[in-house]
Amino acid sequence: QVQLVESGGGLVQAGGSLRLSCKVSGRTFSTLNMGWFRQAPGKEREFIAIINWSGSVTNYADSVKGRFTISRTDAQNTVYLQMDSLNAEDTAVYYCAANPFVRGIKVEHYEYWGQGTQVTVSS
């Protein structure tokens, strides 16, 4: 059973930073492509960032490019999302997701999901 557990969410002022973590268990982490998504109230879940299984390739949504950084530490089975220059539009529940096959940016590409962590940015 693959489990993903996010942490690091919270309340932050506009312009501030947060770092989200997602710890994976139940499968060899180094074989997984890892993604971050977010979902704001009343909106569909949207792609934020992806890092491939080896950590050699990353990709970001235009809305976060230059502000967010995805990284991974295989020794700790953990993927991170460093979020800087946060604004109110970044308020959402953030989810990490994993899949062993596709370096994709769509929700349907991902087989495993975490429970989500709330990020709230006050203006």
Side-chain angles (χ1 to χ4, degrees):
Q1 182 77 7
V2 179
Q3 291 189 326
L4 286 69
V5 180
E6 300 100 334
S7 61
L11 175 65
V12 63
Q13 289 188 335
S17 298
L18 281 175
R19 188 176 81 154
L20 305 183
S21 300
C22 173
K23 190 169 180 64
V24 180
S25 60
R27 183 163 179 140
T28 303
F29 182 68
S30 60
T31 65
L32 295 172
N33 301 297
M34 299 298 301
W36 284 97
F37 291 75
R38 68 185 180 189
Q39 188 166 18
K43 295 188 177 181
E44 294 186 351
R45 193 169 297 188
E46 65 172 349
F47 164 77
I48 295 299
I50 181 177
I51 187 166
N52 76 327
W53 61 273
S54 69
S56 61
V57 180
T58 59
N59 192 17
Y60 298 91
D62 288 343
S63 59
V64 306
K65 200 170 294 184
R67 300 188 299 123
F68 290 12
T69 304
I70 189 171
S71 62
R72 62 189 296 156
T73 302
D74 286 3
Q76 297 181 6
N77 289 356
T78 301
V79 62
Y80 303 96
L81 186 68
Q82 176 67 41
M83 306 187 295
D84 299 318
S85 302
L86 286 161
N87 57 61
E89 288 70 38
D90 296 316
T91 295
V93 177
Y94 283 70
Y95 299 89
C96 70
N99 89 82
F101 303 115
V102 179
R103 195 176 72 237
I105 65 171
K106 296 182 178 181
V107 169
E108 54 265 35
H109 289 153
Y110 288 82
E111 184 173 354
Y112 308 111
W113 291 85
Q115 82 289 349
T117 186
Q118 176 71 47
V119 171
T120 302
V121 184
S122 63
S123 56

